[in-house]
Amino acid sequence: MPETIAVVPVTPLLQSPPAVPPAPQLPAHTQAGYPGFHHGVSLLHGWLPQVITFAAVFLLVLAFARFTRRWWLLWVPVCLVFAGAVVWASWSYTDNEGLASDPAPVLLWAAVGLAGAGLAAAVVGIRTGSWWQRVAAILAVPVTLLNVGVVLNQWVGYYPTANAAWAALTAEPLPHQTDLDALASLRDTNVGTGRIVPVDIPESGSHFKHRTEYVYLPPAWFQGDKPPALPVIMMIGGEFNTPQDWVNSGQIMGSVDDFAKSNNGQTPILVFVDSGGSFNNDTECVNGPRGDAADHLTNDVPDYVESTFGASADPAKWGIVGWSMGGTCAVDLTVMHPEKFGTFVDIAGDLGPAAGTKEQTVKRLFGGDEQAWAAFDPVTVMRKHGPYADTVGLFDDLTPPAAQRRMANDPAMRARMQQRQVDESKIGMGGQDGVFDTGEVGAAEELCAQGRQVNVDCTVHTTEGGHTWQFAAAAFTSSFPWMTARLGIPVAGISS
């Protein structure tokens, strides 16, 4: 992973005039690092990841150094073959499950190979060498596994700092977290910054078992004798997620607080929802064998937020922001339920709900029911629905890396790559668009083009960067003022 993530001003991708105003450029002080990004020791770059990698390699060298010549000739090749098998199995599983929107870096597979070699070396040579060599061999296993975790984290940006990782692992309270019972004592006071409230939303409309969810209440919510009917943004994270991810991994609250302060304390209510029920349950926000996530998000959440916090029930004042899988959810839920949501921001989402290829998706998410798949396929939904009355969407996606752009401009290389395009059944799945020269934006282009045919106002913005939480945070930060204005809260310089 690079030490910094390039963020450039978002620009319209489509040639026709954008229906949505361009999202404002990130403030200068946030372009190099988002608020909170550098609080604590970085896990994405700097000395700590380097020390962990060095320790893993060093212990592995000691583990192999204890082998005699006979052991080297016999068991070292076995260890290397085992390491290769571990890499192949890991890559095959990742590819088969459609777990990655971007190809994993070579460094990740190298780290996986080191871990496989360390495990094999510890097993086959546990009875040889001196005691300190045996200790080194045993320690090599957890340290090489830790190194895999660090490299994986560098790829996706899940924990930007050691502090963020520790806070998540120890379930520390979120910034400005307040109990629901304490809100009454803050009524009609100047709270300075907003409050985040953990909530247990009833499952009466879905029977979807979910974890604790969180509601951000801006300073304006506390003003007056009773809560104002503020608009709401539903915040949905990626495939592997917790409801706190936008706060802990995205670290967006610094930007939200700054914006609220500059806008007289007025922002929408943010609802950090649980779309999976558990960390590794990829529901893609649909109803199916993995749970009725769609019913929870479209029935349970709005009813609870409106009744508990006095939020507006006007669909024009409800929006959805989603990242990666959550971006797919944002589009899908909005076009399926225009009577509930009027605006969406899709940050690097797929063409539709995806759990591998289309065939795998239908089986895994819908129990093999093609009609159920069609009911949640946004392109099919839009075509069937016909013209929408007042639905607006913003797609914020990644431009391809510079090396890929250079290859795309090489006619010979372009011709060779076009001959190797992915199977049509996989287009839109796991981030695969079947479009070599536009990276992840192929799905966004197709969705927006279809949306425009049925009066969905939309535009596609592109930003250079990686498929990481830091990209998601930057996209949210740049679109938040526009979304706020779109939902009816005045913002200086932006019309609704």
Side-chain angles (χ1 to χ4, degrees):
M1 292 287 292
E3 291 197 358
T4 58
I5 297 172
V7 179
V8 298
V10 289
T11 55
L13 176 69
L14 303 181
Q15 296 302 315
S16 55
V20 183
Q25 182 178 345
L26 286 174
H29 72 280
T30 65
Q31 290 189 22
Y34 316 118
F37 180 70
H38 293 296
H39 290 180
V41 180
S42 175
L43 284 177
L44 303 181
H45 55 80
W47 66 268
L48 184 56
Q50 294 175 8
V51 168
I52 293 174
T53 299
F54 174 81
V57 174
F58 179 72
L59 288 172
L60 194 58
V61 169
L62 289 182
F64 276 98
R66 64 200 173 98
F67 290 154
T68 63
R69 182 178 179 182
R70 182 173 62 86
W71 278 85
W72 265 93
L73 293 176
L74 177 62
W75 288 112
V76 169
V78 172
C79 293
L80 296 179
V81 169
F82 180 77
V86 170
V87 171
W88 179 84
S90 301
W91 178 87
S92 297
Y93 178 77
T94 301
D95 183 65
N96 180 64
E97 295 294 317
L99 300 181
S101 292
D102 289 343
V106 174
L107 185 60
L108 176 60
W109 304 125
V112 171
L114 284 177
L119 178 61
V123 171
V124 302
I126 193 66
R127 296 182 179 180
T128 65
S130 61
W131 68 268
W132 60 268
Q133 289 176 314
R134 296 180 187 182
V135 170
I138 295 173
L139 289 178
V141 176
V143 175
T144 53
L145 290 174
L146 176 62
N147 184 55
V148 172
V150 169
V151 176
L152 176 62
N153 183 67
Q154 287 178 309
W155 178 30
V156 301
Y158 196 79
Y159 295 123
T161 66
N163 290 6
W166 181 254
L169 294 175
T170 57
E172 290 185 5
L174 299 178
H176 311 307
Q177 182 170 318
T178 302
D179 290 336
L180 190 63
D181 294 340
L183 295 180
S185 64
L186 299 175
R187 167 64 39 212
D188 202 19
T189 65
N190 182 7
V191 295
T193 59
R195 297 292 187 269
I196 293 179
V197 184
V199 294
D200 184 12
I201 299 178
E203 304 155 4
S204 56
S206 68
H207 306 292
F208 179 71
K209 300 297 181 181
H210 60 84
R211 295 161 289 183
T212 298
E213 295 167 300
Y214 297 83
V215 175
Y216 164 79
L217 302 170
W221 187 87
F222 297 90
Q223 299 171 5
D225 295 333
K226 64 178 183 179
L230 292 175
V232 180
I233 301 176
M234 185 184 297
M235 306 289 294
I236 308 177
E239 176 178 346
F240 301 98
N241 70 83
T242 70
Q244 308 100 304
D245 283 352
W246 275 105
V247 179
N248 286 335
S249 299
Q251 299 197 343
I252 64 170
M253 296 316 301
S255 297
V256 173
D257 288 340
D258 288 346
F259 176 78
K261 183 177 180 180
S262 67
N263 205 48
N264 298 317
Q266 298 187 62
T267 78
I269 294 171
L270 304 182
V271 186
F272 302 100
V273 297
D274 184 9
S275 61
S278 62
F279 181 76
N280 62 344
N281 185 36
D282 177 22
T283 68
E284 299 286 317
C285 302
V286 306
N287 293 334
R290 296 179 178 181
D292 292 343
D295 284 349
H296 173 63
L297 299 177
T298 59
N299 296 328
D300 300 343
V301 172
D303 290 349
Y304 179 83
V305 174
E306 290 164 12
S307 62
T308 305
F309 301 104
S312 174
D314 183 354
K317 296 185 180 297
W318 273 76
I320 307 177
V321 173
W323 150 241
S324 194
M325 180 213 71
T328 309
C329 299
V331 179
D332 207 11
L333 296 179
T334 302
V335 299
M336 289 181 67
H337 298 281
E339 78 284 358
K340 295 178 180 286
F341 310 101
T343 308
F344 67 83
V345 175
D346 171 1
I347 305 172
D350 282 332
L351 185 60
T357 65
K358 178 183 174 181
E359 181 181 357
Q360 292 169 331
T361 297
V362 172
K363 180 180 179 180
R364 293 166 179 169
L365 296 182
F366 304 100
D369 188 340
E370 285 268 0
Q371 291 184 341
W373 172 86
F376 282 92
D377 175 58
V379 172
T380 304
V381 169
M382 286 188 282
R383 288 173 179 168
K384 185 176 180 180
H385 181 279
Y388 288 77
D390 186 26
T391 299
V392 176
L394 171 64
F395 296 89
D396 204 331
D397 277 290
L398 295 155
T399 56
Q404 188 174 347
R405 292 198 301 271
R406 287 194 298 270
M407 287 191 295
N409 294 327
D410 182 337
M413 178 64 73
R414 184 183 181 90
R416 288 195 295 271
M417 293 304 297
Q418 287 175 340
Q419 292 175 358
R420 297 169 55 191
Q421 283 189 348
V422 298
D423 186 334
E424 288 185 2
S425 66
K426 293 187 178 181
I427 292 178
M429 304 299 178
Q432 300 181 64
D433 305 311
V435 183
F436 168 66
D437 60 340
T438 58
E440 291 186 320
V441 298
E445 284 184 307
E446 182 170 343
L447 287 168
C448 191
Q450 178 59 46
R452 288 184 172 186
Q453 294 181 23
V454 289
N455 294 343
V456 175
D457 283 347
C458 61
T459 193
V460 180
H461 291 163
T462 60
T463 304
E464 186 172 333
H467 196 94
T468 67
W469 265 106
Q470 288 66 56
F471 168 75
F476 168 80
T477 301
S478 66
S479 64
F480 187 49
W482 168 80
M483 173 69 97
T484 299
R486 163 69 186 167
L487 298 183
I489 292 179
V491 177
I494 302 179
S495 61
S496 59

